[in-house]
Amino acid sequence: MSVLRTLLGAKSLKVKMTLLLLAVSLVPLLISMLILTSQSSSVVESDTKNQQMHLAELSTSEINAWLNSKIASIQSVVKAHPEFLNGKSNTILPVLKIMAESDPEVYRFAYIDPQGMSIDTAGEKLDANKFDNFKKATVDKKVSVSEIIKEESSGKNIIIIDVPLVDSKGDFRGIVQSFLFPEQILSIINHIKFGETGYGYLLSPSGTYLVHPKKTGQKLEESSTAEKMALYKNTVFKDQSGYILYTEPDGTLKSAAYQTIEATGWKYFDCRAFGSIQTGDSFKEKFSGYASCFCAGCHCYSYDRLTDDDSPNHDNFIPHAASRAGRFIRPFEDAWRG
């Protein structure tokens, strides 16, 4: 005999009516809870996206400000010292040495004359004509910032800022170079994180990881699926900023907010495992299990009490059922909350 037939066959009309009203009230309650849970999931996802975008903007703004301050300091000194345009290193180097001593974030400065001969504040000389950045500066005469590179002579990670010198006639008069330690950028990236699985990283316009917890120096394609590469090509490398979802080769779903660092063209990413904060699905699963256990507990207890000849007065059925069901589902309730 089914549980439903047993309940309907109960002698007490009060029990029948109470069970019917309980069933009628539970259905809209469960539907309402599922709707609210779905809405909660959407709100969590929206808030997560907004927070990631905000943190990416903050980090990008700090990195931009730091790089621009270094460029501006060189330009202001050059403007205040006309001797930078005379092409004589013996009058330029003393000024650069003072600048190097006043900025602990600068590894050294160098001056490259119009013919491509370079001399730095440590006295090292070399021919810069073989370097692409010098060739480019002689043509476009624009400030440029290198990627984070490892210097061959010292083995140190550095960033090189090239500030071309141009006279009033528009003629190229050499370059002032600043060799910077990237620790400040690393500090900015490591300081702002999103959640337990969140991290930041820098990607160059050519697709090289400049800063990454595990992939620094690697090319993007070395550890990306074809789908991820296509996504980056159509979004990251085309847009100034955005928000993307992608799957890593190991199957991990990740979300990332990205922003362009104007001074360099680098892309800064605020990244995290998508499931680490997105709790809507797990919440719905727990709620469904909770509701199912509640109903199962009520039905089991109802069947037991209504088919037992020695059962107490049926008028006490609901209080007994509620108490028994409460003890039955309490472990599930604790799991749902935890």
Side-chain angles (χ1 to χ4, degrees):
M1 182 182 294
S2 67
V3 174
L4 179 61
R5 186 179 300 175
T6 301
L7 292 176
L8 293 178
K11 294 181 180 180
S12 172
L13 179 62
K14 186 175 182 181
V15 171
K16 291 181 180 180
M17 292 301 298
T18 303
L19 289 174
L20 179 60
L21 292 173
L22 179 63
V24 170
S25 63
L26 276 176
V27 171
L29 175 62
L30 293 175
I31 293 175
S32 298
M33 285 297 293
L34 287 173
I35 292 174
L36 289 173
T37 302
S38 178
Q39 292 176 341
S40 175
S41 177
S42 298
V43 170
V44 169
E45 181 177 352
S46 177
D47 287 347
T48 298
K49 176 181 177 180
N50 291 337
Q51 289 180 46
Q52 279 189 271
M53 291 292 292
H54 179 62
L55 289 177
E57 290 174 3
L58 284 177
S59 297
T60 301
S61 178
E62 283 193 63
I63 295 173
N64 251 325
W66 184 74
L67 289 169
N68 286 329
S69 70
K70 301 304 181 183
I71 295 171
S73 67
I74 298 173
Q75 291 174 329
S76 63
V77 170
V78 169
K79 186 177 180 179
H81 293 268
E83 60 267 29
F84 274 87
L85 300 177
N86 65 18
K88 296 180 180 180
S89 60
N90 60 338
T91 60
I92 295 174
L93 281 176
V95 179
L96 294 180
K97 288 180 179 179
I98 294 174
M99 292 173 62
E101 292 171 358
S102 64
D103 190 342
E105 293 176 334
V106 173
Y107 174 41
R108 67 174 185 269
F109 283 98
Y111 166 69
I112 306 177
D113 68 23
Q115 289 73 44
M117 296 307 297
S118 171
I119 182 170
D120 63 27
T121 49
E124 183 178 342
K125 298 180 180 181
L126 59 84
D127 186 354
N129 284 287
K130 60 183 178 180
F131 297 113
D132 291 337
N133 61 318
F134 176 75
K135 297 175 184 178
K136 182 175 180 293
T138 60
V139 176
D140 64 21
K141 303 168 187 173
K142 294 181 179 179
V143 174
S144 67
V145 182
S146 74
E147 297 180 357
I148 298 175
I149 58 178
K150 188 177 291 291
E151 188 182 42
E152 292 182 4
S153 60
S154 66
K156 297 178 181 293
N157 288 326
I158 57 171
I159 299 170
I160 303 175
I161 297 178
D162 291 333
V163 179
L165 303 173
V166 182
D167 63 21
S168 58
K169 297 179 181 179
D171 294 331
F172 176 74
R173 302 300 299 165
I175 298 174
V176 172
Q177 290 186 314
S178 176
F179 294 74
L180 300 170
F181 293 120
E183 275 69 21
Q184 179 61 25
I185 291 179
L186 298 177
S187 175
I188 293 171
I189 294 174
N190 294 330
H191 178 67
I192 300 180
K193 291 185 177 181
F194 188 84
E196 295 181 359
T197 64
Y199 58 90
Y201 66 88
L202 284 179
L203 193 68
S204 76
S206 63
T208 300
Y209 287 106
L210 301 177
V211 178
H212 190 282
K214 298 180 180 179
K215 304 176 184 178
T216 299
Q218 295 182 19
K219 286 289 187 179
L220 178 65
E221 58 265 24
E222 292 180 35
S223 57
S224 299
T225 62
E227 291 77 11
K228 180 180 175 181
M229 289 300 300
L231 175 65
Y232 273 56
K233 180 179 178 181
N234 295 322
T235 56
V236 174
F237 294 124
K238 289 176 62 177
D239 303 328
Q240 290 291 101
S241 62
Y243 178 84
I244 55 175
L245 294 175
Y246 60 90
T247 303
E248 295 286 17
D250 64 0
T252 303
L253 179 62
K254 291 187 176 181
S255 64
Y258 62 91
Q259 294 279 338
T260 302
I261 298 173
E262 298 293 342
T264 61
W266 303 340
K267 301 290 183 177
Y268 172 81
F269 290 78
D270 186 284
C271 178
R272 69 170 180 86
F274 187 67
S276 62
I277 299 178
Q278 183 67 16
T279 57
D281 290 339
S282 61
F283 179 80
K284 283 188 282 189
E285 290 174 0
K286 289 180 180 179
F287 171 74
S288 297
Y290 178 82
S292 298
C293 290
F294 177 81
C295 292
C298 287
H299 279 285
C300 289
Y301 183 75
S302 300
Y303 183 83
D304 174 68
R305 300 305 291 171
L306 290 175
T307 56
D308 186 358
D309 292 337
D310 296 329
S311 62
N313 192 312
H314 289 302
D315 291 342
N316 296 323
F317 165 71
I318 295 300
H320 281 284
S323 176
R324 183 75 63 88
R327 291 194 298 272
F328 179 77
I329 65 173
R330 189 164 290 113
F332 300 94
E333 181 180 13
D334 293 338
W336 173 62
R337 289 176 176 173

